[in-house]
Amino acid sequence: MTLLIVLFTLALVQIWGSGAPIHRDDWFAKWCERLDKLAPLRGNAGLLLATTLLPPVIVVAVLMLVAESIAGGLGVLLAGVPLLLYCLGRGDFNAVLTNYLCHWYRGDLNAATEAASPLLKELHEEPADGRQLHEQVFRGAAYCAFERLFAVLFWFIVLGIPGALLFRLSALYAQRSGEADRVSTAARWLWLLEWLPVRVMGISFAIVGNFAGCYRAWRQCLMCREWDTAQVLEAYLEGALGGIDASACGATGDLSQAQRQCGAQIEGLQALLSRALLLWLTVLALAVLFA
């Protein structure tokens, strides 16, 4: 059933471009605001985090059990697909990258920066030039792809819908945390949730990309505690995409060497992510087949 839920969910993403039709987070914002007003929770960031995340996850776990008891596998499928779709990241990732590349190849850095804004929301500095913009977009795109899809799928495969929901709510909570202690607590918790799936992601990149380069980066980052998830992903991708050059750029027209080189790297990232997703689905299908 896990494989079917994943396949149906990804099919809906292909049709809609994202899970936007059911990505409604107002309920979570109101839930957080209500808990923020409770005096016993204000001074304890860890307790507030747990109180915010656990009740919705428990409710969903009970819902899945009820669905299975009432309708068996069909109930799990009917409840699991929309819930997993809700857990995926917000926005149309491929559309953002495509729009960015169009402006990049035209040489319009202002429009390219605006198009890539969903990937740069975690950065607080404006890119000084095209090279810095590309580096920020590359890192932002890598993390966005991981956070919106692969991390969710990992926890879904390991812990089911409750695990996927726990990750998504943790990411939403980290985004809306305002006070310094809450930001630190939420960021550390999210880093812990991302630690294992990002290392699985590194092995996946090594298999579908440049194995030697990526595996070298994977070993260096295996027990690293200083780098955040985006930095680790960037190291993996630089190893997996090692050797890519401007000739791999799919754009035509009169473009500079720098435009082609950077465009080829983004296009290589998209292709690598597609191959990594196919690898995950293949492994999941084999696991189901031989289970």
Side-chain angles (χ1 to χ4, degrees):
M1 196 56 63
T2 297
L3 179 61
L4 286 178
I5 292 175
V6 171
L7 291 177
F8 276 113
T9 301
L10 293 179
L12 290 176
V13 170
Q14 289 298 316
I15 294 172
W16 292 335
S18 69
I22 63 172
H23 284 169
R24 301 291 183 266
D25 300 321
D26 291 345
W27 70 271
F28 186 66
K30 293 177 181 178
W31 171 246
C32 291
E33 291 171 0
R34 180 173 299 180
L35 293 179
D36 286 342
K37 297 176 182 177
L38 299 180
L41 300 179
R42 289 179 183 173
N44 192 325
L47 181 59
L48 179 60
L49 174 67
T51 307
T52 303
L53 300 181
L54 288 181
V57 171
I58 293 173
V59 168
V60 164
V62 172
L63 175 63
M64 294 301 295
L65 289 175
V66 171
E68 184 176 14
S69 64
I70 292 177
L74 180 61
V76 173
L77 182 65
L78 293 178
V81 170
L83 286 171
L84 182 59
L85 192 60
Y86 173 80
C87 295
L88 298 183
R90 278 54 181 147
D92 191 333
F93 174 76
N94 289 324
V96 170
L97 271 189
T98 299
N99 194 23
Y100 164 76
L101 283 176
C102 287
H103 293 298
W104 173 263
Y105 287 139
R106 292 172 186 166
D108 190 343
L109 294 184
N110 290 330
T113 302
E114 179 65 25
S117 58
L119 307 176
L120 307 176
K121 57 186 177 182
E122 301 298 330
L123 301 175
H124 304 289
E125 57 177 331
E126 291 293 329
D129 52 29
R131 170 60 66 175
Q132 189 177 37
L133 172 63
H134 167 72
E135 292 173 353
Q136 292 180 357
V137 170
F138 183 77
R139 178 181 296 184
Y143 179 75
C144 182
F146 168 77
E147 181 267 348
R148 73 186 307 274
L149 178 60
F150 289 96
V152 174
L153 291 181
F154 176 87
W155 287 115
F156 169 66
I157 294 170
V158 173
L159 297 177
I161 291 295
L165 183 65
L166 176 63
F167 179 82
R168 176 52 51 209
L169 296 185
S170 298
L172 292 174
Y173 185 86
Q175 290 175 7
R176 74 177 306 278
S177 297
E179 299 178 10
D181 59 336
R182 295 183 188 178
V183 172
S184 177
T185 301
R188 285 199 302 269
W189 168 244
L190 188 60
W191 181 85
L192 286 173
L193 285 180
E194 293 173 342
W195 192 92
L196 185 55
V198 79
R199 279 146 183 85
V200 173
M201 198 75 201
I203 291 294
S204 304
F205 286 154
I207 293 174
V208 300
N210 184 326
F211 183 86
C214 188
Y215 182 66
R216 187 182 307 113
W218 185 84
R219 286 190 304 170
Q220 293 173 347
C221 298
L222 180 58
M223 303 306 295
C224 178
R225 298 182 180 181
E226 291 76 22
W227 284 10
D228 60 26
T229 303
Q231 291 173 310
V232 172
L233 278 170
E234 185 178 23
Y236 291 163
L237 285 167
E238 287 177 351
L241 295 173
I244 194 168
D245 55 30
S247 63
C249 175
T252 58
D254 187 15
L255 301 174
S256 68
Q257 183 74 6
Q259 283 178 302
R260 289 188 177 276
Q261 178 69 35
C262 295
Q265 195 173 27
I266 295 294
E267 291 175 7
L269 167 63
Q270 290 179 293
L272 191 70
L273 291 170
S274 296
R275 295 197 300 272
L277 178 58
L278 182 59
L279 173 65
W280 281 37
L281 293 177
T282 302
V283 172
L284 181 57
L286 291 174
V288 171
L289 181 63
F290 293 103

